[in-house]
Amino acid sequence: DARVTQTPRHKVTEMGQEVTMRCQPILGHNTVFWYRQTMMQGLELLAYFRNRAPLDDSGMPKDRFSAEMPDATLATLKIQPSEPRDSAVYFCASGHGTGANTEAFFGQGTRLTVV
Amino acid sequence: SQELEQSPQSLIVQEGKNLTINCTSSKTLYGLYWYKQKYGEGLIFLMMLQKGGEEKSHEKITAKLDEKKQQSSLHITASQPSHAGIYLCGAVLAQGGSEKLVFGKGTKLTVNP
């Protein structure tokens, strides 16, 4: 049963600490998305990769957030230093596509709380 | 500003009733997705619509795409408590030279038995 795996599922950390979230996309998928979901803003696109190359990260605060794909089986989203306003659920999604339409499959999310 | 507007924001219906959720884009749609999310969980893919006038159905859920109006509707017939959740529409929109998969804020559906 192929699925996107995110770790950890929950993370509570103190302000100022580094947070790393990991995502294992579905094998064979060439597109990976990172989203952040909050009650106020809904689902916001932070960054996405195709064939491991970052295509767009304009939705991501560059001073503290970074997203990478060290290899095809791992995507990471790092926050350093973390702030209380970063508290949200972070979703990773993967898909296979070459053009505009890519059906995205979502992971279960990482619920981050920064205190 | 929100590129995809969903209406209503929340909906409470009695089991057995029909309902419709709408999604309107401020930009040209190149494809429209419908997802369902339960609290604390990830998004579950429901349907993808790519062509104007396209209509797809899965069990009691039907989605239509009106490309000219830049909108889509999701219709549930004879709703059941299992239909409860948050329905999100997503679309690939051209922005600043790249294409992004963006989402509306969702419609929270409650189905009372």
Side-chain angles (χ1 to χ4, degrees), chain A residues 1 7 15 18 24 28 33 35 46 48 56 65 68 72 78 88 90-91 98-99 106 108 113:
Chain A
D1 184 25
T7 56
M15 182 173 66
E18 177 179 303
Q24 181 177 353
F33 306 87
Y35 289 89
L46 297 176
Y48 78 99
D56 196 301
F65 285 59
E68 295 179 346
K78 190 175 294 186
Y90 290 81
F91 286 104
T98 55
F106 281 75
Q108 293 294 298
T113 304

Side-chain angles (χ1 to χ4, degrees), chain B residues 51-98:
Chain B
K51 301 174 186 175
E54 187 174 8
E55 180 175 320
K56 286 188 178 179
S57 293
H58 176 67
E59 297 180 345
K60 294 184 179 180
I61 301 176
T62 301
K64 299 179 187 179
L65 177 62
D66 185 334
E67 232 170 36
K68 288 183 181 177
K69 292 184 181 177
Q70 297 180 177
Q71 68 180 29
S72 176
S73 60
L74 184 85
H75 184 77
I76 299 178
T77 305
S79 57
Q80 299 169 353
S82 60
H83 287 127
I86 299 172
Y87 289 82
L88 294 105
C89 66
V92 176
L93 300 177
Q95 284 184 346
S98 66

Side-chain angles (χ1 to χ4, degrees), chain B residues 40-51:
Chain B
E41 298 181 13
L43 280 67
I44 305 297
F45 173 81
L46 294 176
M47 274 172 270
M48 177 173 72
L49 304 167
Q50 290 185 276
K51 301 174 186 175

